[in-house]
Amino acid sequence: MPDPTTTNLWHPIAACADTPVGTPQRTTLLDTPITYTLHGEGHATAASSSMLPVLIRYGYIWTSLGTPTADLFDIPEYAEPDRRRFNAASVSVHVSAPRAVENFLDMSHFPFVHTGILGAEPHTEVKEYDVETSAERDEVLATRCRFFQPQPSTAADQGAEVEYVYRVPHPNCAVLYKSSVIDENRRDVIGIFVQPVSQERVRAHMLVCVLDDRSDDATIKRFQQTVFGQDKPILENQFPKRLPLDPRAESPVRADRVSIAYRRWLAAKGITYGVIPAA
Amino acid sequence: MSAHAWHPIAAARDLPPRHVFHAKLLGQELAVWRADDGYVNVWENRCLHRGVRLSIGLNEGQELKCQYHGWRYASRTAGCTYIPAHPEGAPARRIANRIFPVIERHGLVWSALETPPDDLQTSLPPDPLVLREIAIDAPAAIVEPLLAAYDPPGHGPRPIFFIQPTDSESCVIRGVIPEPPPTDTLALLRLHDAALCALRDLAEQRPAA
């Protein structure tokens, strides 16, 4: 049985755009088989042994096996009409949900895993950044994250030092805001919404919500799929697959401050699903 | 199958230059690699930082580089020498990977999970003919009696067999022929390969439930 916090969360189960209308579909959430149907007019239903609550938000169908205690986190930029916004991919990965989220929050792998795109040697240093865990908003926030990127996005012609903000507003979902090459006052928004299929298997749904007036949807999707395709074999070679919450279980360095805060936040929430709780 | 005993974990030829070999002994995954000076390293197959298998890392000659964040570990000591996210600072001295004892002898690489009390004792010559390893989806205890009765027709000099217990459910047969004939070794290798594959099929037969 998943812990109560996990049971009562909203979880993403599919992108609306990838779901045929009116035909029941199957998926698995928290080891539980689920049937769901997308009806017309932005309405969906879902059931396991009984009917489940359903929400459609950010182009995805969300459900819960318990009673969601809070509304889903807000992404105000999603409402901005000039953004390109869609599901870039839903990818199965043999890893726990928190390992997938932690990878999304990590800058120091860019030069080694996303070589020539999001990073390149010798630009490997992770400069000091700020991390806070907001009790009021119940989220982990990393700001002033800066990294040199050879190809920051599909809208970029050249490399640039890019500034990131990372937000973790949900134990299995994270959102990043990175400098836009189109408008210096705005940021591209990319979200990873992880569906825990089991404690060690996920479907990772990737939302793009970006400023790009020159690339077609396929190009933007291909860029994200390339990047995530580079992460997948790394994630699937991580052991243990569940995220260890004991701070001594692995060897964090200063660059990992956001991961340390994330692990602490999960522990404080009493999450045991997909993690190895500290003794 | 003692953690304190020497077991073969690879053939010497599995470790060509700049390669990292993925091995397993008694349930423990190992990253095995030969440094440019010839030294063979047998390490726990996990980067200390974020748990990524080092067997998917890069053998850079004197150091192994993790694929995830480029952390480097020195040959012999397995101490972390460089953390690219913080190029200015030297890594903390305590960051060293777990290493296992190693002997390269008789065309095989030998290791143990705990330090064995004695040196490896065999009566083998330095360069026997090493058969292709046969991975078997059955425990060593099932394979042992089958190997004791191994006697394919017309095989000439009898191989010496060692069983590498990969975990409680599987093993690898590693055979060597101490004094191979000077000619026609290919036919000899093929003969044993076919006979050992037949033995594997027998070992993997499970009684119907």
Side-chain angles (χ1 to χ4, degrees), chain A:
Chain A
M1 272 294 286
D3 59 82
T5 306
T6 299
T7 301
N8 290 328
L9 289 171
W10 287 110
H11 296 279
I13 53 170
C16 298
D18 301 339
T19 306
V21 174
T23 316
Q25 308 291 315
R26 290 170 196 277
T27 189
T28 302
L29 173 65
L30 305 173
D31 305 290
T32 306
I34 290 190
T35 312
Y36 62 97
T37 308
L38 180 64
H39 308 283
E41 313 288 316
H43 164 66
T45 50
S48 55
S49 52
S50 58
M51 293 301 285
L52 300 173
V54 171
L55 197 64
I56 292 184
R57 191 75 62 84
Y58 314 128
Y60 297 91
I61 303 171
W62 303 71
T63 191
S64 176
L65 297 186
T67 308
T69 49
D71 191 16
L72 194 59
F73 54 89
D74 198 19
I75 305 177
E77 294 80 3
Y78 189 78
E80 295 172 2
D82 62 341
R83 284 181 182 265
R84 311 289 295 282
R85 34 176 223 185
F86 43 80
N87 179 46
S90 297
V91 182
S92 295
V93 190
H94 192 181
V95 74
S96 62
R99 284 273 197 204
V101 168
E102 201 175 88
N103 174 69
F104 186 82
L105 304 176
D106 179 77
M107 283 186 292
S108 51
H109 74 289
F110 289 164
F112 304 98
V113 179
H114 308 300
T115 314
I117 305 174
L118 302 183
E121 292 180 270
H123 308 284
T124 58
E125 183 173 11
V126 174
K127 300 183 188 77
E128 211 62 44
Y129 60 90
D130 298 322
V131 183
E132 63 170 307
T133 303
S134 160
E136 184 198 337
R137 291 194 311 276
D138 191 21
E139 66 180 29
V140 177
L141 196 68
T143 52
R144 243 173 20 91
C145 307
R146 292 152 293 153
F147 212 81
F148 172 80
Q149 302 198 323
Q151 171 75 51
S153 73
T154 47
D157 292 316
Q158 56 189 17
E161 173 154 298
V162 178
E163 187 166 340
Y164 277 69
V165 168
Y166 290 102
R167 234 184 107 195
V168 193
H170 177 296
N172 301 325
C173 300
V175 184
L176 69 78
Y177 302 75
K178 66 187 281 188
S179 329
S180 160
V181 297
I182 305 273
D183 183 343
E184 61 181 22
N185 297 313
R186 298 171 72 193
R187 290 184 184 241
D188 284 341
V189 180
I190 298 170
I192 187 169
F193 306 150
V194 184
Q195 168 189 353
V197 169
S198 70
Q199 298 210 56
E200 301 190 353
R201 287 185 187 273
V202 301
R203 295 269 292 156
H205 305 282
M206 275 165 291
L207 171 72
V208 291
C209 179
V210 298
L211 300 164
D212 186 337
D213 49 15
R214 71 176 196 190
S215 310
D216 60 13
D217 288 3
T219 304
I220 296 172
K221 283 185 185 179
R222 193 182 307 118
F223 183 86
Q224 295 303 328
Q225 290 172 7
T226 300
V227 167
F228 199 75
Q230 294 168 329
D231 286 318
K232 181 175 155 82
I234 296 287
L235 289 169
E236 294 185 334
N237 278 288
Q238 255 182 311
F239 291 90
K241 292 191 174 293
R242 301 180 199 192
L243 185 71
L245 298 187
D246 184 333
R248 291 157 302 178
E250 294 182 332
S251 308
V253 292
R254 282 198 314 287
D256 301 317
R257 286 178 55 226
V258 65
S259 121
I260 295 167
Y262 173 58
R263 292 182 188 200
R264 215 176 268 152
W265 185 68
L266 292 179
K269 285 183 169 299
I271 285 183
T272 59
Y273 195 84
V275 304
I276 300 171

Side-chain angles (χ1 to χ4, degrees), chain B residues 69-125:
Chain B
H69 299 101
W71 285 30
R72 293 166 176 275
Y73 297 91
S75 177
R76 294 175 194 260
T77 65
C80 180
T81 55
Y82 186 57
I83 296 176
H86 302 297
E88 299 297 317
R93 195 174 291 250
R94 65 184 166 77
I95 301 181
N97 200 353
R98 184 174 174 200
I99 58 180
F100 296 92
V102 60
I103 292 176
E104 184 178 11
R105 203 175 289 171
H106 317 305
L108 297 173
V109 177
W110 307 75
S111 189
L113 296 194
E114 306 290 343
T115 307
D118 300 309
D119 190 20
L120 174 65
Q121 303 289 335
T122 72
S123 53
L124 290 170

Side-chain angles (χ1 to χ4, degrees), chain B residues 42-169:
Chain B
V42 180
W43 294 357
E44 181 168 344
N45 191 17
R46 241 187 122 240
C47 178
L48 292 160
H49 178 219
R50 285 296 178 252
V52 168
R53 280 188 173 124
L54 289 174
S55 56
I56 68 165
L58 298 173
N59 175 346
E60 302 234 302
Q62 279 310 308
E63 291 172 317
L64 192 64
K65 181 180 174 187
C66 179
Q67 284 284 14
Y68 198 5
H69 299 101
W71 285 30
R72 293 166 176 275
Y73 297 91
S75 177
R76 294 175 194 260
T77 65
C80 180
T81 55
Y82 186 57
I83 296 176
H86 302 297
E88 299 297 317
R93 195 174 291 250
R94 65 184 166 77
I95 301 181
N97 200 353
R98 184 174 174 200
I99 58 180
F100 296 92
V102 60
I103 292 176
E104 184 178 11
R105 203 175 289 171
H106 317 305
L108 297 173
V109 177
W110 307 75
S111 189
L113 296 194
E114 306 290 343
T115 307
D118 300 309
D119 190 20
L120 174 65
Q121 303 289 335
T122 72
S123 53
L124 290 170
D127 286 309
L129 178 65
V130 178
L131 305 183
R132 184 173 76 90
E133 73 281 2
I134 306 291
I136 300 190
D137 188 18
I142 294 211
V143 173
E144 263 166 19
L146 296 175
L147 270 182
Y150 181 81
D151 189 20
H155 61 66
R158 184 179 167 78
I160 309 282
F161 289 112
F162 303 95
I163 300 178
Q164 169 191 355
T166 38
D167 58 30
S168 60
E169 297 302 320

